[in-house]
Amino acid sequence: MKSESPTSFWQFDTTYWLGQLKSNVNGLSQKDASLILQQSETIKREKTSFEKDIALFISQFKSPLMLLLIGAVILSAFLGDTSDVFIILFIVLSTGLLSFFQERNASKTVEKLQSMIALRSTVLRDGIPQQIIGNEIVPGDILLFKAGDMIPADCLIIESNEINTNEASLTGESYPVRKEAGLIAENTVLSKRSNCLWEGTNIVSGTAKALVIHTGNNTLFGSIVQSASTEVETSFEKGIKDFGYFLMKITLVLSVFILTVNLFNHKSIIESALFALALAVGMAPELLPAITTIAMSAGAKRLLEKKVIVKKLASIQNLGEVNLLCTDKTGTITEGAINVEDIVDYSGKSNEFVKKLAFWNASLESGYSNPIDEALKAIPITDKTLPKKTNEIPYDFIRKRLSIAMDTGTEQLLISKGAFPQIISICQSVLGENNNITPIEQSIANINQQYEAFGVNGLRVIAVAYKTISNNNITKEDEVQMVFAGFILLQDPVKSGIIDTIEKLKKLHVNLKIITGDNRNVAKAIALKLGIKQPNVMTGAELIALSVEDLKKKVKNIHIFAEVEPQQKEHIIQALRYNFTVAYMGDGINDVGAINEADIGISVENAVDVAREAADFVLMEKDLSVLLDGIKEGRKTFANTLKYIFINTGSTFGNMFSVAIASLLLPFLPMLPKQILLTNFITDFPYLTIASDNVDEEQLNKPGKWDLKFIRNYMIIFGIHSSVFDVITFLTLFYVLKVKESAFQTGWFIESILTELFILFIIRTHKNFFKSQPGKYLFILSVLGLILTLGLPYSPLATEVGLTPLPWANLSIMLIIVAAYIITADLLKVWFFKKYR
């Protein structure tokens, strides 16, 4: 269906649009919605699995070096050198297929994870509310919203109750925007279109029923994404990319130099070009993107088994860097199962009337489902008959209270409950003994004293107030001149095993800080139960008084931040990030800003939509012990990715550099192009299993950190070490054994592959290599590579790849050189990590 004025739908009322979209206040029928979905031009056709596989396979050959090599193979075929063509083409295709299957498995894992966390919305279909995923919503649907919901389409409000939205994703302004039904002029600016709800924004407070006008790319958010789609790079991704460019520059310069020298020495043009290209492919980190993707997807798969859903795959690397975890206390530090300890009057005595007020308020509210109200609904009272609800002012994080208007049959009441400071501020009298009402001034000191005492005893406190009203048409302005009824005392016991979990976090060099809106006395009581003997507590009021620089210094030594507002959580995270790599865990609307601000955002499966959407990781259980596994997996993924980088910058770079030098001095090529590619091919198999390799416990106990200077130091030291042994091999073969071209190339071929295979076992651990057990697949494929390398010169295929059987004496000398390389490389490795780490 095509609307008359798609860009200014806010100027017409909902009756007009219900007619245009052939809908009604009970929503579309399921049959009509399915038909609209099939016909919709805004729905992007999903690629079939076959189409995705073809695109992924082609992408394996898109790198400039691979394209150049394929071009050289075609040229070689044109000139009639068919033997080399088939061998090199086989190696290129096999390498591409190997990467393709690994990346294909990785992408399947990512698709599975994404499907598990797809956002759902409440839609009226055939007049019945039901949950459906966002991409099944169509124009004409009626959506029901509550606080915490993400908005999946551009909508026009039909009816609302104190609804406020966060439109920062569109306007940049994070302050809540009030919304209500009505008509607005066509030329009204975006920030003033108060009758519209926009895709990509979220509900902060209140409830609403709205009509879907636009979906998909036709929404305002969809058009912005199409015109300015960007992805934020993680620090690890940026480091990988920068390092890849660094190696690529060296590779290309060296390849061009070698090509020029070989041509100057009157060697074959085709042979020299293929040699230079093969050299470039051998040195370039062509497997790096595949290795990182495979390592991260393998980590994501293992995390899923441990009940952690990875939303943003690249964030796994960042999780390994985390050294500070910030969290609310409810559900992570405490059980999260709210128990009502008692409901008392201003003097601390249990009171049946105050219990009834609290029960009515909790039972009749409909704006924001929460565990406190669920607990209050279960309290034992003599009469559970509910009065008639006449109106509601939903909870929001500015007022911090919830008000319900009701008709009891004998009178009309307005009952408010919420945070103690916000409730006491709207009261002018107090419910005393025998239900007498007296001016609050006479009791305020006693009320405040009771509030402090409850907090010291570790009880969470909310307050209840009420008043009689004559008009059901209430607003926030009616929350004044109320009667303070009493306190609701809540108990949320500390989780069993949490102290042990915190100790394990410390062993991983991860500190813990608690950020909560609760009273400082409650927060302090929790800290003492956690074994913090002299907890440093900072309140929101104290935070406001500090400058940005002072806050950066102070936050380092604070254990608990209490009585903080949602926006203050962001400021705390910003200050902490100057000294730490911060993960923040939250599940409420008031946590979204902090989740976005942290290096790693973490939420839980039952969190509000907007919190799950903002997070990098979603826990299927709200349990800190699950995060222990997550942090270890992040570090394992980080460590395994670095292994490939070390191999590429150490042995591979050293070997290829040596081959380049030798080509300048020898009357023949030190290795044929197909031998260089075959070296690369044989070592690629075990390299691609690095993602599943074991990692030493010592490497998991400290955060991993991308350090380009450290890697460059490694490249220089181990590159020189590798080149030294290559030169020894070169001198031995050419000047001592005085071998001819084919035997020389065979000897160097064996030495190059064996050193590259063994360096993987050496650098995969910071200890002596024989003290650390490698992964099963890494070990098996490395052994197969070793057998293939030693057996190839003696096989029928030897002549096809330019190899020749070596006399046993010559082979023994090569093996002795490799053994000396292994021993010295292992000793050098232990020294290197001690000195630079």
Side-chain angles (χ1 to χ4, degrees):
M1 192 235 108
K2 198 168 181 65
S3 64
E4 291 181 13
S5 184
T7 57
S8 54
F9 62 85
W10 49 88
Q11 65 179 312
F12 301 103
D13 62 18
T14 52
T15 303
Y16 169 83
W17 281 111
L18 286 169
Q20 288 291 308
L21 296 169
K22 297 181 174 57
S23 184
N24 60 72
V25 291
N26 292 318
L28 297 166
S29 68
Q30 187 61 52
K31 180 181 177 182
D32 288 343
S34 299
L35 186 62
I36 294 169
L37 189 64
Q38 289 174 7
Q39 297 174 344
S40 176
E41 296 176 2
T42 67
I43 304 300
K44 291 174 67 176
R45 186 182 74 85
E46 281 289 317
K47 288 183 178 180
T48 64
S49 294
F50 178 74
E51 288 172 330
K52 289 178 182 176
D53 288 346
I54 292 294
L56 181 62
F57 179 72
I58 292 171
S59 71
Q60 306 302 318
F61 306 95
K62 282 185 177 179
S63 71
L65 288 174
M66 289 294 269
L67 291 173
L68 283 171
L69 189 59
I70 291 168
V73 169
I74 294 170
L75 179 61
S76 187
F78 181 74
L79 295 174
D81 196 355
T82 53
S83 174
D84 280 7
V85 167
F86 284 118
I87 292 169
I88 296 172
L89 202 56
F90 170 77
I91 294 169
V92 171
L93 286 172
S94 299
T95 303
L97 280 168
L98 189 61
S99 293
F100 162 74
F101 283 116
Q102 290 281 10
E103 287 197 55
R104 184 174 181 270
N105 291 336
S107 65
K108 295 289 184 187
T109 300
V110 175
E111 285 178 14
K112 182 180 178 182
L113 293 172
Q114 293 297 333
S115 67
M116 293 179 68
I117 51 176
L119 289 176
R120 296 179 176 272
S121 299
T122 304
V123 180
L124 281 180
R125 291 272 172 89
D126 298 306
I128 301 169
Q130 53 185 282
Q131 294 279 313
I132 67 170
I133 59 175
N135 60 12
E136 293 180 2
I137 292 168
V138 298
D141 268 327
I142 304 294
L143 299 181
L144 304 179
F145 293 111
K146 64 181 184 304
D149 287 349
M150 290 291 294
I151 299 170
D154 287 355
C155 308
L156 197 62
I157 296 175
I158 298 173
E159 59 185 59
S160 65
N161 185 7
E162 294 293 335
I163 192 162
N164 288 274
T165 65
N166 183 331
E167 297 184 345
S169 58
L170 294 177
T171 65
E173 175 55 61
S174 60
Y175 198 79
V177 180
R178 184 180 172 84
K179 299 284 186 175
E180 58 189 352
L183 294 178
I184 294 177
E186 181 179 4
N187 59 355
T188 305
V189 297
L190 176 63
S191 61
K192 302 294 184 184
R193 295 171 195 166
S194 57
N195 62 347
C196 300
L197 300 176
W198 305 105
E199 182 191 6
T201 64
N202 64 278
I203 308 297
V204 175
S205 62
T207 58
K209 179 189 283 188
L211 172 66
V212 175
I213 306 295
H214 295 309
T215 60
N217 293 334
N218 288 341
T219 65
L220 181 61
F221 189 77
S223 63
I224 292 171
V225 169
Q226 275 189 307
S227 61
S229 181
T230 58
E231 285 190 21
V232 178
E233 276 187 329
T234 65
S235 60
F236 188 84
E237 283 177 311
K238 186 178 184 305
I240 287 285
K241 186 176 75 174
D242 291 346
F243 187 70
Y245 284 141
F246 169 72
L247 277 187
M248 195 67 74
K249 288 173 187 175
I250 297 174
T251 300
L252 292 175
V253 169
L254 192 57
S255 299
V256 171
F257 175 71
I258 296 303
L259 175 61
T260 304
V261 171
N262 279 327
L263 291 176
F264 184 76
N265 289 337
H266 306 293
K267 293 177 183 175
S268 163
I269 295 176
I270 295 299
E271 196 81 353
S272 296
L274 283 173
F275 176 74
L277 286 170
L279 190 65
V281 171
M283 284 190 347
E286 80 282 357
L287 285 182
L288 191 52
I291 292 287
T292 53
T293 302
I294 294 162
M296 289 186 291
S297 66
K301 200 170 183 179
R302 289 191 296 266
L303 283 174
L304 184 58
E305 294 170 1
K306 295 169 182 176
K307 299 185 178 180
V308 179
I309 299 173
V310 182
K311 273 194 65 192
K312 299 170 185 175
L313 202 59
S315 297
I316 291 181
Q317 305 283 8
N318 280 9
L319 188 60
E321 296 183 26
V322 166
N323 56 12
L324 176 66
L325 173 64
C326 296
T327 178
D328 191 1
K329 64 178 182 61
T330 307
T332 50
I333 304 301
T334 61
E335 290 289 352
I338 303 294
N339 300 318
V340 180
E341 187 80 1
D342 203 353
I343 299 177
V344 299
D345 62 19
Y346 83 101
S347 65
K349 296 178 182 176
S350 187
N351 186 296
E352 286 300 315
F353 179 65
V354 184
K355 285 182 182 179
K356 186 177 287 189
L357 294 177
F359 175 77
W360 285 349
N361 179 284
S363 300
L364 294 173
E365 78 91 15
S366 58
Y368 184 57
S369 178
N370 62 87
I372 293 176
D373 284 336
E374 293 302 316
L376 287 171
K377 290 176 190 177
I379 60 173
I381 59 172
T382 51
D383 182 10
K384 289 205 170 188
T385 304
L386 290 174
K388 180 184 177 184
K389 175 181 173 181
T390 56
N391 213 328
E392 178 176 358
I393 309 173
Y395 182 89
D396 65 58
F397 291 96
I398 300 168
R399 291 163 41 251
K400 291 190 176 179
R401 54 181 177 259
L402 163 69
S403 296
I404 306 288
M406 62 194 72
D407 187 345
T408 66
T410 57
E411 61 181 338
Q412 290 183 313
L413 293 178
L414 178 66
I415 304 173
S416 296
K417 81 171 186 308
F420 172 76
Q422 278 70 25
I423 292 293
I424 201 72
S425 68
I426 59 173
C427 294
Q428 70 171 14
S429 51
V430 61
L431 181 70
E433 294 183 10
N434 301 319
N435 291 340
N436 293 325
I437 297 174
T438 58
I440 200 165
E441 289 80 9
Q442 300 174 13
S443 308
I444 191 66
N446 188 24
I447 292 172
N448 285 326
Q449 188 178 357
Q450 285 287 359
Y451 175 64
E452 290 291 321
F454 292 138
V456 169
N457 291 325
L459 292 170
R460 185 177 177 185
V461 181
I462 58 176
V464 183
Y466 74 102
K467 73 173 183 180
T468 57
I469 54 175
S470 56
N471 185 358
N472 291 332
N473 189 23
I474 59 168
T475 65
K476 287 184 280 191
E477 285 68 36
D478 292 305
E479 295 176 323
V480 292
Q481 299 180 343
M482 301 191 75
V483 180
F484 183 82
F487 302 97
I488 300 170
L489 307 180
L490 304 168
Q491 182 72 267
D492 188 7
V494 171
K495 273 190 175 181
S496 60
I498 188 64
I499 296 175
D500 181 52
T501 301
I502 292 171
E503 283 302 313
K504 287 178 180 177
L505 281 170
K506 285 180 181 176
K507 288 178 182 177
L508 292 176
H509 292 79
V510 178
N511 293 314
L512 178 71
K513 294 185 188 292
I514 300 171
I515 304 176
T516 177
D518 274 355
N519 171 270
R520 71 174 299 148
N521 292 321
V522 177
K524 191 170 184 178
I526 293 292
L528 291 169
K529 289 178 183 178
L530 295 177
I532 304 172
K533 293 180 180 177
Q534 293 181 314
N536 293 324
V537 181
M538 178 184 283
T539 64
E542 292 169 340
L543 190 148
I544 291 172
L546 295 174
S547 68
V548 174
E549 290 304 316
D550 285 340
L551 184 61
K552 290 177 193 174
K553 295 173 186 174
K554 289 256 186 183
V555 292
K556 287 191 287 185
N557 300 315
I558 301 298
H559 297 106
I560 297 183
F561 299 90
E563 301 173 23
V564 295
E565 303 289 338
Q567 66 272 21
Q568 290 179 323
K569 292 185 178 184
E570 292 180 59
H571 297 153
I572 292 166
I573 299 299
Q574 286 168 358
L576 288 168
R577 287 183 66 196
Y578 280 92
N579 300 291
F580 302 96
T581 300
V582 182
Y584 181 85
M585 182 173 172
D587 61 358
I589 306 167
N590 57 331
D591 293 311
V592 173
I595 290 172
N596 278 319
E597 191 60 43
D599 295 289
I600 291 292
I602 303 165
S603 193
V604 290
E605 195 174 29
N606 61 352
V608 296
D609 287 351
V610 66
R612 285 195 296 132
E613 184 68 12
D616 302 300
F617 297 88
V618 177
L619 307 187
M620 296 167 78
E621 291 181 359
K622 195 172 184 181
D623 190 346
L624 283 188
S625 63
V626 175
L627 267 186
L628 285 169
D629 293 327
I631 290 168
K632 283 186 176 181
E633 283 299 339
R635 293 180 183 179
K636 182 176 183 179
T637 304
F638 184 91
N640 281 338
T641 305
L642 279 185
K643 289 175 186 177
Y644 176 74
I645 293 172
F646 284 149
I647 295 163
N648 212 86
T649 55
S651 177
T652 304
F653 182 79
N655 281 349
M656 295 305 167
F657 188 71
S658 303
V659 170
I661 293 171
S663 70
L664 305 180
L665 305 175
L666 294 171
F668 49 82
L669 290 176
M671 267 196 204
L672 297 177
K674 54 191 172 188
Q675 292 168 349
I676 293 176
L677 292 174
L678 189 58
T679 300
N680 216 32
F681 177 67
I682 292 172
T683 54
D684 276 355
F685 277 94
Y687 288 178
L688 277 171
T689 63
I690 287 173
S692 62
D693 188 27
N694 299 331
V695 177
D696 294 340
E697 196 66 30
E698 295 87 342
Q699 288 179 259
L700 299 179
N701 286 340
K702 287 188 179 180
K705 198 79 173 175
W706 177 259
D707 187 346
L708 188 56
K709 184 180 177 182
F710 175 74
I711 296 170
R712 283 175 178 169
N713 288 338
Y714 178 92
M715 180 180 73
I716 293 167
I717 292 171
F718 280 81
I720 291 171
H721 174 264
S722 179
S723 290
V724 165
F725 278 87
D726 285 339
V727 170
I728 292 171
T729 305
F730 158 66
L731 294 174
T732 303
L733 287 169
F734 197 66
Y735 292 104
V736 177
L737 299 176
K738 300 184 185 300
V739 296
K740 301 298 181 185
E741 180 177 348
S742 180
F744 183 97
Q745 290 165 345
T746 303
W748 209 333
F749 173 81
I750 291 171
E751 188 266 354
S752 293
I753 293 182
L754 295 190
T755 54
E756 286 190 37
L757 290 175
F758 280 109
I759 195 64
L760 173 52
F761 288 89
I762 292 166
I763 64 95
R764 59 169 296 280
T765 174
H766 294 182
K767 303 182 288 190
N768 294 115
F769 77 93
F770 51 83
K771 294 180 180 178
S772 176
Q773 184 177 356
K776 179 175 69 174
Y777 297 112
L778 178 66
F779 180 77
I780 291 171
L781 289 176
S782 295
V783 170
L784 289 175
L786 177 67
I787 294 169
L788 179 62
T789 303
L790 294 175
L792 200 56
Y794 304 94
S795 72
L797 293 173
T799 53
E800 295 297 323
V801 290
L803 299 176
T804 187
L806 290 183
W808 288 108
N810 290 14
L811 179 61
S812 299
I813 291 172
M814 292 299 100
L815 295 178
I816 290 170
I817 292 172
V818 170
Y821 171 84
I822 294 168
I823 295 168
T824 53
D826 197 46
L827 293 173
L828 182 64
K829 180 271 307 281
V830 173
W831 168 84
F832 177 82
F833 283 114
K834 280 183 179 178
K835 178 176 174 59
Y836 291 99
R837 281 283 167 92

